[in-house]
């Protein structure tokens, strides 16, 4: 009986840890269980230990940690590409970017969303974890109006919402970071621990950079970012067709073999276009007029 | 499973749900508590990262909260739900627990780690990252941009 009881009590408590993320609650439960004579002292310690372990292993990266990873990713990218300095343009893309970010599922991140232009003809846009978004001049040049610009930025905001960047960090690295952390809250990290943490940090940053610049996300992640982008655009009052229009343009270029930079990390434009069109059809989104915004786009970019 | 076991199971479940009282932790560098549940509503007060605020009411993506005697609305994406013992919720202990948690979480990728990483990689362009970080758009400016472009003001309670 004792054994059978131990197993179901354990299952309930550990499930609650996963749900509630609180080993302390389990400890209260096991204390009562022990007082009632239903579980032994050893069992209580075992369950408490399991609860604490699973809580620690399950700790996700905090928003603050995401921010620091994102800053390092951005610092790496800004070491490879030149930052394009144009006050008027920078302000404009930040206004468009904020309009779609506020309409996203995650309008607030630790450090907020920021949008910047990279001075290169390569065609690409990159989202660092936490909300720093880069768009190249090559990519900007291909945007015909504010709707298309908002589509590019909303797509990157989608990656930030989905935490796709963080997802590229090898799981083993994060497990090591969590393992390094002692359970004693006030304890300071030692020099050796700090060196190890820095090396794990560097590895994590490199995982993200490699995906952003070399390997790219999966087709599923790109499709999900497209779908979210159109939702954010629609909520913000932009015409979601801006995304399919832009993809249509890139799809034509890709078939023609131009624009190598982007297509290494963003394959299958035609497939993405088809998926985007099906999302529009499923939502029955109408075309939204954008003359007023076309004008200010021309004034800023023209 | 006998009757007694079921009673214990039920008891444990009840205790756990009781323990999950409504306090949320701020997870952005600085979160705004606003007068109404709108992005551009006037700011009642600012709350720094890691502080606990008490949840009073939930409407869509907005929470009505209380912090240091001030009440207002905060967006759900700026906070994280925390589960605390009911007894410690309204006392200083909740803040204390929160600070301990911050310290524990603070032992991962911290400002200290960033500093050590920067020292090891002096060629990294953190100076430019700080510049990009300064491209902050004020509420009024983004609101004017949304209105001038005939866009929709987001987040009206949904």
């Amino acid at each position: 009986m004792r054994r059978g009881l131990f197993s179901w009590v354990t299952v309930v408590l550990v499930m609650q840890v996963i749900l509630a993320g609180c080993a302390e609650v389990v400890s209260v439960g096991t204390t009562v269980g022990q007082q009632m004579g239903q579980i032994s002292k050893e069992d209580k310690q075992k369950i408490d230990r399991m609860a604490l372990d699973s809580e620690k292993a399950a700790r996700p990266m905090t928003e603050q940690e995401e921010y620091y990873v994102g800053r390092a990713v951005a610092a790496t990218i800004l070491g490879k590409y030149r930052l394009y300095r144009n006050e008027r343009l920078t302000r404009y893309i930040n206004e468009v970017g904020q309009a779609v970010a506020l309409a996203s599922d995650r309008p607030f991140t630790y450090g907020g969303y920021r949008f910047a232009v990279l001075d290169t003809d390569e065609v690409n846009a990159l989202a660092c974890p936490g909300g720093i978004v880069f768009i190249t001049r090559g990519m900007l040049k291909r945007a015909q109006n504010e709707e298309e610009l908002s589509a590019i930025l909303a797509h990157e905001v989608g990656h930030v919402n989905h935490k796709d960047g963080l997802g590229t960090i090898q799981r083993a690295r994060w497990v090591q970071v969590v393992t390094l952390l002692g359970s004693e809250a006030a304890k300071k990290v030692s020099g050796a621990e700090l060196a190890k943490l820095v090396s794990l940090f560097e590895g994590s940053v490199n995982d993200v950079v490699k995906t952003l610049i070399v390997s790219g996300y999966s087709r599923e992640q790109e499709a999900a970012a497209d779908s979210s982008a159109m939702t954010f655009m629609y909520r913000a009052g932009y015409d979601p067709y801006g995304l399919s229009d832009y993809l249509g343009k890139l799809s034509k270029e890709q078939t023609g073999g131009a624009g190598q930079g982007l297509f290494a990390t963003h394959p299958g434009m035609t497939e993405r276009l088809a998926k985007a069109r099906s999302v529009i059809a499923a939502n029955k989104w109408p075309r939204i007029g954008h003359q007023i915004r076309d004008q200010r786009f021309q004034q800023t970019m023209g | 499973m006998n009757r007694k076991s079921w009673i214990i199971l039920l008891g444990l479940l009840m205790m756990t749900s009781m323990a999950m009282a409504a306090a949320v932790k701020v997870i952005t560098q600085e979160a705004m508590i606003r007068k109404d549940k709108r992005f551009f509503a006037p700011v009642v007060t600012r709350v720094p990262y890691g502080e606990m605020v008490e949840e009073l009411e939930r409407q869509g993506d907005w929470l009505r909260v209380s912090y240091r005697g001030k009440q207002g609305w905060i967006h759900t994406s700026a906070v994280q739900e925390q589960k605390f013992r009911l007894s410690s919720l309204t006392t200083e202990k909740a803040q204390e627990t929160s600070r301990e948690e911050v310290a524990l979480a603070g032992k991962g990728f911290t400002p200290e780690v960033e500093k050590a990483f920067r020292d090891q990689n002096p060629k990294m362009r953190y100076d430019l990252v700080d510049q990009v970080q300064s491209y902050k758009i004020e509420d009024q400016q983004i609101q004017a941009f949304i209105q001038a472009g005939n866009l929709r003001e987001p987040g009206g309670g949904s």
Side-chain angles (χ1 to χ4, degrees):
Chain A
M1 174 60 218
R2 164 80 49 94
R3 193 162 179 82
L5 185 67
F6 171 77
S7 54
W8 70 254
V9 167
T10 309
V11 169
V12 169
L13 293 173
V14 171
M15 266 178 65
Q16 294 204 333
V17 171
I18 296 162
L19 292 170
C22 189
E24 194 184 332
V25 171
V26 172
S27 178
V28 173
T30 50
T31 306
V32 173
Q34 196 195 336
Q35 280 164 0
M36 290 177 75
Q38 290 296 324
I39 45 176
S40 70
K41 196 181 171 192
E42 293 73 40
D43 284 352
K44 174 186 157 45
Q45 283 171 349
K46 216 158 147 189
I47 296 170
D48 288 352
R49 182 86 223 142
M50 277 171 69
L52 199 66
D53 283 352
S54 89
E55 182 172 287
K56 270 166 66 188
R59 170 164 109 69
M61 198 177 277
T62 65
E63 299 259 333
Q64 197 184 32
E65 287 168 329
E66 177 184 14
Y67 167 80
Y68 284 113
V69 171
R71 274 171 61 84
V73 169
T76 311
I77 289 166
L78 289 167
K80 292 181 197 290
Y81 296 96
R82 252 207 335 248
L83 180 66
Y84 185 63
R85 289 184 172 92
N86 177 322
E87 208 176 309
R88 195 169 167 211
L89 176 66
T90 300
R91 180 179 152 144
Y92 180 61
I93 66 156
N94 275 279
E95 285 167 335
V96 175
Q98 288 296 344
V100 287
L102 282 177
S104 79
D105 294 329
R106 198 184 167 200
F108 297 109
T109 63
Y110 180 84
Y113 291 87
R114 300 290 187 273
F115 304 84
V117 181
L118 298 175
D119 194 1
T120 167
D121 287 332
E122 277 181 36
V123 184
N124 214 347
L126 314 155
C128 307
I132 295 179
V133 171
F134 293 114
I135 175 170
T136 64
R137 283 184 77 191
M139 188 122 192
L140 262 183
K141 245 185 257 170
R142 284 167 171 77
Q144 233 158 24
N145 52 39
E146 193 174 304
E147 315 305 286
E148 292 185 6
L149 172 60
S150 78
I152 299 164
L153 302 180
H155 174 94
E156 298 307 321
V157 167
H159 282 309
V160 177
N161 269 234
H162 305 157
K163 299 194 175 177
D164 288 336
L166 291 187
T168 67
I169 297 172
Q170 288 178 27
R171 202 180 141 62
R173 285 194 221 283
W174 185 243
V175 170
Q176 282 186 66
V177 171
V178 175
T179 313
L180 257 179
L181 310 179
S183 56
E184 222 180 299
K187 203 184 92 187
K188 283 279 277 183
V189 285
S190 70
E193 276 174 338
L194 181 63
K196 181 78 186 142
L197 272 176
V198 172
S199 133
L200 290 167
F201 181 73
E202 184 158 23
S204 304
V205 170
N206 289 340
D207 285 344
V208 181
V209 171
K210 210 172 92 191
T211 305
L212 291 184
I213 295 183
V214 186
S215 50
Y217 292 123
S218 69
R219 284 171 189 229
E220 289 73 25
Q221 284 171 312
E222 294 300 348
D226 282 343
S227 175
S228 292
M230 288 185 286
T231 303
F232 305 159
M233 289 170 75
Y234 180 75
R235 284 185 199 156
Y238 281 112
D239 182 5
Y241 286 79
L243 185 98
S244 53
D245 290 347
Y246 194 76
L247 287 177
K249 213 173 335 186
L250 293 186
S251 166
K252 265 187 205 154
E253 271 196 51
Q254 192 169 39
T255 329
Q260 293 302 328
L262 174 77
F263 303 129
T265 49
H266 289 70
M269 287 297 165
T270 313
E271 187 189 319
R272 277 177 63 186
L273 174 62
K275 278 188 183 157
R277 281 183 175 150
S278 73
V279 171
I280 290 174
N283 283 284
K284 298 194 174 89
W285 279 321
R287 279 234 177 227
I288 299 169
H290 41 81
Q291 217 178 355
I292 221 177
R293 298 189 290 275
D294 289 354
Q295 280 169 10
R296 69 180 177 192
F297 180 88
Q298 282 307 325
Q299 280 163 10
T300 316
M301 313 287 290
Chain B
M1 209 184 288
N2 63 20
R3 204 187 153 119
K4 199 172 170 189
S5 309
W6 278 111
I7 293 170
I8 296 169
L9 173 64
L10 202 69
L12 288 172
L13 282 169
M14 275 175 65
M15 238 178 325
T16 317
S17 16
M18 266 174 68
M20 293 175 205
V24 293
K25 184 171 80 177
V26 168
I27 54 168
T28 59
Q29 212 160 18
E30 187 182 58
M32 312 290 167
I33 294 182
R34 294 179 186 273
K35 207 168 160 223
D36 301 305
K37 46 182 194 302
R38 288 184 295 111
F39 283 110
F40 307 119
V43 175
V44 174
T45 186
R46 293 157 190 266
V47 189
Y49 177 77
E51 287 284 287
M52 299 296 301
V53 295
E54 193 184 347
E55 178 186 332
L56 304 172
E57 182 187 347
R58 182 179 285 256
Q59 275 189 36
D61 289 338
W62 294 87
L63 298 178
R64 194 164 68 84
V65 296
S66 172
Y67 174 73
R68 294 192 176 176
K70 288 184 176 161
Q71 293 182 5
W73 296 87
I74 198 164
H75 194 268
T76 48
S77 71
V79 295
Q80 191 177 51
E81 284 180 54
Q82 297 284 305
K83 280 86 184 180
F84 283 102
R85 276 175 300 163
L86 206 58
S87 58
S88 68
L89 182 67
T90 51
T91 65
E92 276 178 20
K93 207 167 171 200
Q95 292 292 346
E96 200 182 292
T97 314
S98 162
R99 272 192 291 274
E100 276 173 20
E101 285 200 341
V102 169
L104 185 60
K107 282 167 70 187
F109 294 157
T110 57
E112 199 185 5
V113 171
E114 182 183 283
K115 194 187 169 297
F117 176 69
R118 284 174 78 158
D119 290 346
Q120 278 177 27
N121 301 275
K123 282 188 185 155
M124 299 269 285
R125 297 307 304 269
Y126 271 99
D127 56 326
L128 295 178
V129 177
D130 290 337
Q131 194 181 331
V132 169
Q133 212 82 50
S134 76
Y135 298 161
K136 190 172 161 35
I137 307 274
E138 295 305 323
D139 277 3
Q140 272 181 327
Q141 193 184 331
I142 178 75
Q143 198 175 14
F145 180 83
I146 284 170
Q147 279 165 5
N150 205 13
L151 293 169
R152 236 187 311 246
E153 207 172 282
S158 63

